[in-house]
C-alpha cells in the first residue's frame, strides 16, 4: 500500500507531480492515483552515457483507479516531440493475472532519445567471417527456449492502432496489431500495415501441445516496397510474398528443424549496392560467387535487377527450392537449386549462370 499526499520533483524546467493511493491489499482496498510529467526540452536534462539527448518535449499523464484487486489506467497519454500515444490499461490480480491494453496513435515517430552520431568507418568484416562464439556453438539459429510456463502465468489482450509510423526512409501507415494470451496460447490474430508501396498482413500462433510448443505463421504481402535500401527509395523494387509455416518444438532451433510449409518471394526491378553489406550479411562466399558470375560486379557500385523468384518448400526441416531459385540482372541470369537442412544447418547450392554476353559458368 503506497500513499502520497504530495510529490513534486523539478529539474530545471522539467517537473513531475504525483499524488494518491495505490492499494491492492484486499476487498476493502481502493486506489486513486495520478501522475503528471512535463519536460519541455529533454536536451536540457544533459547526456545519457555521454550522448547528448535530442531536443524535444516529453509529457506523460495517467490516472489510476481501482479496488478489490483491480487496477485501471484511464486517459493515459504520452507525447514525445510530435508523437502522441493514448491508451487504457486494465489489470486484475488473481492466480493467473489478467492484463488488457489498448494503445492508439495518429502519428508515432520512432525517433531515438539521443542525437544522431557520426557513423564511424566500418571495420574490415572479413576477419570475423566464420568466427565461432566462445561457447563453441557456431550454428546460426539460436537455441532460444519457448517460455511455455511463463505464457501460462498471464492472460492478456493487446490492441494497437497507429495511423502513421515513419522511421527514416520507411513510411508505414494504418498499423494494426491484435494479440491475445489465454491459457498459455499466444495468438497474433492480426498484424498488418500499408507501406510506401503495397501492404502486408500476417497472423501466427504459439500454443502448448503435449509438453512442446506448436507454432504457425501465415504472411501475405503484395507490391511491397518499404524503401529501406537507399538504392530503392524510388520504390523501383516491389515484392510479392507468401508464407505458410507450421511446426512443433521446445525452442526456436527445434521449431526450425521440425518446420513444414512453403515460402514464395517474387521481386521485380530495382538495384542493389555492391557493398560490404552483402559481405556482412552473408560472408565472403557470396562475394566470391557474385564476382565469379558477374566479373564486373567489383567495378560497378550497383547491380541492376530485372527479377528474383524464390519458391521454397519445407518438409520436416528440409528446405528446398522447388523448382529453382531464379535471379535475372541486366548482365546475367542465375538459376540455383538449393537444399538446407535446418536441423544440421548443412547447405547445398548448385548454381548455373547464363550471361547476356560472354562465357557461361557453372
Amino acid at each position: 500500500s503506497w500513499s502520497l499526499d504530495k510529490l513534486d520533483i523539478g529539474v530545471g524546467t522539467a517537473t513531475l507531480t504525483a499524488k494518491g493511493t495505490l492499494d491492492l491489499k484486499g476487498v476493502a482496498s481502493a486506489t486513486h492515483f495520478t501522475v503528471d510529467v512535463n519536460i519541455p526540452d529533454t536536451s536540457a536534462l544533459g547526456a545519457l552515457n555521454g550522448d547528448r539527448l535530442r531536443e524535444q518535449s516529453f509529457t506523460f499523464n495517467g490516472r489510476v483507479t481501482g479496488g478489490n484487486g483491480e487496477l485501471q489506467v484511464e486517459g493515459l497519454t504520452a507525447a514525445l516531440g510530435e508523437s502522441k500515444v493514448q491508451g487504457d490499461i486494465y489489470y486484475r490480480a488473481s492466480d493467473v493475472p489478467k492484463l488488457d491494453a489498448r494503445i492508439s496513435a495518429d502519428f508515432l515517430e520512432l525517433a531515438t532519445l539521443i542525437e544522431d552520431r557520426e557513423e564511424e568507418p566500418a571495420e574490415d568484416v572479413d576477419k570475423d567471417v566464420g568466427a565461432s562464439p566462445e561457447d563453441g556453438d557456431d550454428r546460426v539459429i539460436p537455441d532460444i527456449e519457448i517460455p511455455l510456463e511463463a505464457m501460462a502465468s498471464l492472460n492478456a489482450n493487446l490492441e494497437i492502432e497507429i495511423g502513421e509510423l515513419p522511421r527514416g526512409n520507411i513510411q508505414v501507415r494504418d498499423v494494426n496489431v491484435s494479440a491475445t494470451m489465454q491459457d498459455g496460447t499466444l495468438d497474433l490474430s492480426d498484424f498488418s500495415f500499408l507501406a510506401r508501396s503495397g501492404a502486408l498482413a500476417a497472423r501466427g500462433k504459439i500454443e502448448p501441445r503435449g509438453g512442446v510448443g506448436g507454432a504457425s505463421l501465415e504472411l501475405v504481402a503484395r507490391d511491397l516496397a518499404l524503401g529501406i535500401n537507399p538504392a530503392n527509395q524510388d520504390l523501383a523494387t516491389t515484392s510479392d510474398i507468401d508464407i505458410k509455416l507450421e511446426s512443433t518444438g521446445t525452442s526456436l532451433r527445434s521449431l526450425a528443424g521440425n518446420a513444414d510449409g512453403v515460402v514464395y518471394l517474387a521481386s521485380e526491378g530495382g538495384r542493389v549496392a555492391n557493398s560490404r553489406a552483402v559481405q556482412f550479411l552473408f560472408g565472403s562466399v557470396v562475394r566470391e560467387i557474385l564476382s565469379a558470375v558477374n566479373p564486373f560486379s567489383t567495378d560497378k557500385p550497383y547491380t541492376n535487377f530485372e527479377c528474383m523468384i524464390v519458391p521454397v518448400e519445407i518438409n520436416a526441416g528440409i528446405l528446398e527450392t522447388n523448382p529453382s531459385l531464379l535471379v535475372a540482372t541486366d548482365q546475367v541470369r542465375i538459376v540455383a537449386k538449393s537444399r538446407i537442412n535446418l536441423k544440421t544447418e548443412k547447405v547445398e547450392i548448385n548454381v548455373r549462370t547464363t550471361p547476356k554476353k560472354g562465357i557461361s559458368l557453372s
Side-chain angles (χ1 to χ4, degrees):
S1 177
W2 293 72
S3 181
L4 293 173
D5 292 330
K6 179 181 180 181
L7 173 65
D8 290 326
I9 298 177
V11 180
T13 58
T15 61
L16 182 150
T17 61
K19 64 178 180 179
T21 300
L22 285 171
D23 197 336
L24 288 173
K25 289 185 296 184
V27 176
S29 64
T31 290
H32 187 84
F33 188 83
T34 59
V35 58
D36 296 282
V37 178
N38 182 27
I39 305 176
D41 182 4
T42 56
S43 65
L45 295 179
L48 180 64
N49 294 328
D51 295 315
R52 180 177 171 83
L53 295 174
R54 189 182 298 272
E55 184 178 348
Q56 56 190 343
S57 62
F58 174 75
T59 59
F60 178 86
N61 310 97
R63 181 164 58 102
V64 184
T65 60
N68 301 327
E70 297 182 353
L71 289 179
Q72 186 166 348
V73 182
E74 298 175 328
L76 183 151
T77 61
L80 181 64
E82 298 181 2
S83 304
K84 185 176 181 180
V85 175
Q86 300 175 321
D88 297 293
I89 300 174
Y90 169 80
Y91 175 81
R92 185 183 70 230
S94 64
D95 293 338
V96 180
K98 181 176 178 58
L99 176 67
D100 288 333
R102 291 172 175 80
I103 307 296
S104 64
D106 293 332
F107 179 86
L108 179 60
E109 184 177 10
L110 299 178
T112 59
L113 294 175
I114 61 176
E115 290 184 344
D116 295 330
R117 290 184 290 181
E118 294 184 2
E119 293 291 336
E120 298 180 358
E123 297 181 0
D124 188 356
V125 298
D126 287 342
K127 65 182 181 180
D128 294 326
V129 173
S132 298
E134 294 181 359
D135 60 5
D137 188 353
D138 59 356
R139 296 180 61 177
V140 175
I141 303 174
D143 194 21
I144 300 175
E145 294 292 327
I146 302 176
L148 296 174
E149 293 186 4
M151 290 167 56
S153 64
L154 176 68
N155 292 330
N157 181 66
L158 175 65
E159 301 284 343
I160 299 177
E161 295 181 358
I162 302 174
E164 294 183 57
L165 185 64
R167 181 67 173 104
N169 295 320
I170 303 176
Q171 303 291 329
V172 176
R173 66 187 188 278
D174 294 345
V175 179
N176 289 281
V177 179
S178 180
T180 59
M181 182 99 73
Q182 185 70 37
D183 300 328
T185 296
L186 173 61
D187 186 0
L188 177 64
S189 57
D190 180 27
F191 173 76
S192 58
F193 62 81
L194 300 178
R196 294 174 62 188
S197 171
L200 180 147
R203 62 187 179 189
K205 181 181 291 187
I206 299 177
E207 58 186 341
R209 294 182 186 174
V212 299
S216 62
L217 172 66
E218 296 177 75
L219 183 147
V220 174
R222 292 291 179 266
D223 299 323
L224 184 66
L226 295 176
I228 300 175
N229 191 327
N232 190 35
Q233 291 182 20
D234 58 354
L235 307 182
T237 302
T238 59
S239 301
D240 290 344
I241 306 172
D242 290 89
I243 298 175
K244 183 176 177 63
L245 299 173
E246 292 188 357
S247 185
T248 57
T250 59
S251 67
L252 183 60
R253 183 174 293 175
S254 61
L255 284 176
N258 297 324
D260 294 296
V262 294
V263 176
Y264 180 80
L265 167 67
S267 296
E268 295 183 359
R271 60 180 183 173
V272 174
N274 301 325
S275 65
R276 289 187 173 185
V278 175
Q279 298 180 48
F280 179 78
L281 292 174
F282 303 106
S284 59
V285 173
V286 171
R287 182 187 61 181
E288 294 173 6
I289 292 175
L290 291 177
S291 63
V293 300
N294 183 9
F296 303 103
S297 63
T298 57
D299 300 327
K300 294 186 177 182
Y302 298 100
T303 294
N304 295 310
F305 280 83
E306 295 176 355
C307 71
M308 178 171 64
I309 301 175
V310 184
V312 174
E313 287 187 355
I314 306 175
N315 295 295
I318 305 297
L319 183 152
E320 293 184 280
T321 51
N322 188 12
S324 297
L325 178 150
L326 170 66
V327 178
T329 74
D330 58 348
Q331 293 183 329
V332 67
R333 183 174 292 107
I334 305 171
V335 177
K337 188 70 175 178
S338 305
R339 187 178 191 270
I340 302 175
N341 188 326
L342 297 177
K343 292 185 176 72
T344 63
E345 298 190 0
K346 180 180 179 180
V347 179
E348 300 176 20
I349 303 177
N350 295 292
V351 181
R352 185 176 71 252
T353 69
T354 306
K356 300 296 180 64
K357 296 179 181 180
I359 303 172
S360 63
L361 301 171
S362 296

